[in-house]
Amino acid sequence: MNRITQLFETRRMGILSVYFTAGYPEPDNTQAVLEALQHGGVDMAEIGIPFSDPMADGPVIQRAAMQALRNGMSLRRLFGQLKDIRRTVQMPLLLMGYLNPVMQYGFDAFCRSCADVGIDGMIIPDLPFADYMADCRTTAVRYGLKVIMLITPETSDERIRLIDGHTDGFIYLVSSAATTGAQHAFDDDRLAYFRRIDRMNLRNPRLIGFGISNRATFDAAVANASGAIVGSKFVQLLGETASPAEAVTLLKKKLMING
């Protein structure tokens, strides 16, 4: 069974998924970051593929992506770093990145490499849903991979129903139409949006991302979905601390998660 499916069958609430940019701050720390996240009790990890034009990302992840590219990170290098990852890391793993490097690698080859190293799914924010249905879905299913789609406050109910009916794993509920980045709290409009999606009774579980950085935003996410995705705050902490383990410890303190 796909590990993403297994996670959501086992737990429906309080899930924490953490994003980091591969190759940042050090070029070869991917395994160390993943092991630190697992040891720290994180439920799932999203490994960012650095790209030179990360249009949906805020300044923290943009800077991390630029540094990772300067460090020599590429998809081929990343797959090399991940080839033995399942010897030590059991939690679900996704690759998250933009369509350009994936298509340069070749979508079939990308899916095959993902399956070979034990990746469970992918998030490609700029993959149009129509292109996913026409060109990508069959290939991803053949390799046992989940393609996670994003929805925003501007996504119509009709499109949300379409995504819910033709994907599985989970739906990435973007907290706002802005770029990624930490927020102190979600305003009434964001909370109303979360509640509106909850009332739709979707088939897929949901994780809320963009802006999760402290206890208030984490609690709001887990109260309105199956859990939260943290990105910019963890990437920031990776750049400020001496080790991935220290960054995970500080993140849990920021979110006020025990254990």
Side-chain angles (χ1 to χ4, degrees), residues 21 50-54 61-71:
T21 304
F51 182 51
S52 58
D53 186 23
I61 294 178
Q62 286 183 20
R63 287 193 295 268
M66 294 301 102
Q67 182 61 54
L69 292 172
R70 287 193 291 268
N71 287 342

Side-chain angles (χ1 to χ4, degrees), residues 135-148:
D135 303 323
C136 301
R137 184 186 183 196
T138 300
T139 302
V141 170
R142 185 169 73 249
Y143 287 103
L145 301 167
K146 307 298 184 186
V147 180
I148 307 303

Side-chain angles (χ1 to χ4, degrees), residues 91-122:
M91 65 180 170
L93 301 177
L94 298 100
L95 291 189
M96 183 170 186
Y98 293 90
L99 188 59
N100 185 285
V102 172
M103 298 311 290
Q104 286 188 6
Y105 194 90
F107 191 74
D108 188 279
F110 176 77
C111 290
R112 183 169 60 250
S113 293
C114 284
D116 286 346
V117 301
I119 294 297
D120 303 290
M122 67 193 76

Side-chain angles (χ1 to χ4, degrees), residues 20-30 33 50-51 62-78 81 235 238-239:
F20 69 98
T21 304
Y24 175 82
E26 303 297 331
D28 296 311
N29 68 346
T30 301
V33 174
F51 182 51
Q62 286 183 20
R63 287 193 295 268
M66 294 301 102
Q67 182 61 54
L69 292 172
R70 287 193 291 268
N71 287 342
M73 181 51 66
S74 67
L75 255 180
R76 294 191 183 280
R77 184 170 184 175
L78 176 57
Q81 293 175 351
V235 172
L238 278 175

Side-chain angles (χ1 to χ4, degrees), residues 2-259:
N2 183 282
R3 296 175 190 86
I4 298 171
T5 302
Q6 189 172 24
L7 171 62
F8 285 98
E9 286 189 356
T10 304
R11 291 186 59 192
R12 300 293 295 186
M13 299 175 61
I15 290 172
L16 174 61
S17 183
V18 174
Y19 166 95
F20 69 98
T21 304
Y24 175 82
E26 303 297 331
D28 296 311
N29 68 346
T30 301
Q31 181 172 341
V33 174
L34 289 172
E35 290 176 350
L37 289 169
Q38 178 168 272
H39 182 73
V42 171
D43 299 298
M44 183 162 56
E46 300 171 15
I47 306 163
I49 304 165
F51 182 51
S52 58
D53 186 23
M55 58 185 178
D57 294 309
V60 171
I61 294 178
Q62 286 183 20
R63 287 193 295 268
M66 294 301 102
Q67 182 61 54
L69 292 172
R70 287 193 291 268
N71 287 342
M73 181 51 66
S74 67
L75 255 180
R76 294 191 183 280
R77 184 170 184 175
L78 176 57
F79 281 127
Q81 293 175 351
L82 293 171
K83 65 183 178 66
D84 295 320
I85 198 63
R86 286 307 180 189
R87 294 181 180 178
T88 58
V89 175
Q90 289 75 50
M91 65 180 170
L93 301 177
L94 298 100
L95 291 189
M96 183 170 186
Y98 293 90
L99 188 59
N100 185 285
V102 172
M103 298 311 290
Q104 286 188 6
Y105 194 90
F107 191 74
D108 188 279
F110 176 77
C111 290
R112 183 169 60 250
S113 293
C114 284
D116 286 346
V117 301
I119 294 297
D120 303 290
M122 67 193 76
I123 304 171
I124 306 176
D126 58 340
L127 173 63
F129 184 72
D131 292 355
Y132 156 73
M133 291 292 293
D135 303 323
C136 301
R137 184 186 183 196
T138 300
T139 302
V141 170
R142 185 169 73 249
Y143 287 103
L145 301 167
K146 307 298 184 186
V147 180
I148 307 303
M149 304 300 291
L150 286 70
I151 64 173
T152 75
E154 282 70 42
T155 307
S156 68
D157 286 4
E158 179 183 9
R159 175 54 62 92
I160 293 170
R161 296 284 187 197
L162 197 61
I163 289 171
D164 189 48
H166 292 89
T167 66
D168 58 4
F170 67 94
I171 291 175
Y172 192 130
L173 188 65
V174 177
S175 67
S176 76
T179 58
T180 58
Q183 298 182 33
H184 294 296
F186 292 126
D187 61 22
D188 290 342
D189 288 342
R190 295 290 81 76
L191 295 176
Y193 157 58
F194 299 156
R195 290 191 289 268
R196 175 174 68 83
I197 302 301
D198 188 48
R199 289 194 298 270
M200 293 181 71
N201 294 315
L202 300 177
R203 179 177 61 89
N204 280 298
R206 307 171 314 282
L207 295 181
I208 295 175
F210 284 45
I212 311 294
S213 63
N214 56 21
R215 177 65 179 271
T217 49
F218 180 76
D219 284 354
V222 300
N224 291 280
S226 292
I229 299 168
V230 177
S232 295
K233 177 54 68 174
F234 183 64
V235 172
Q236 176 190 339
L237 292 171
L238 278 175
E240 295 173 349
T241 54
S243 69
E246 184 180 350
V248 173
T249 298
L250 285 176
L251 177 66
K252 292 175 69 177
K253 287 181 178 178
K254 295 281 186 184
L255 303 180
M256 297 183 68
I257 298 175
N258 297 321

